Amino acid sequence: MIITLCSTDAFSENNMLEVIHEEHSYLIAKVNEEYFVVDNMCSHENSELILGCLKDKTVKCSLHGSYFNLETGEALNEPADEPIKTYPTIIENNNICIEL
């Protein structure tokens, strides 16, 4: 199933946006003309990743400083040791869509 989350017009380079779809919070990031969609919650504790910052193709959790790879979801440093969920991202008619 493919769902549309938002328009690409909402983004500038190296920018993040939270989108809630059917009560689920997604983090969308644009880095180097690529779009990434991941779960917005840190896997270590309940902290929204949108409150963190982007660095290359990673997002930093503002609560404890763990970095996550936006392509794979891998936790790159402690205290997080579990990955976050990533979603196949499709750009269709200037819309950012994911495949569930």
Side-chain angles (χ1 to χ4, degrees), residues 66-84:
S66 293
Y67 281 88
F68 296 91
N69 182 305
L70 290 169
E71 293 178 305
T72 65
E74 177 186 7
L76 301 175
N77 63 305
E78 294 183 346
D81 57 6
E82 295 292 322
I84 54 174

Side-chain angles (χ1 to χ4, degrees), residues 50-64:
I50 190 70
L51 301 173
C53 60
L54 288 175
K55 182 179 178 185
D56 299 319
K57 292 182 181 180
T58 65
V59 61
K60 179 182 179 183
C61 176
S62 66
L63 187 60
H64 291 111

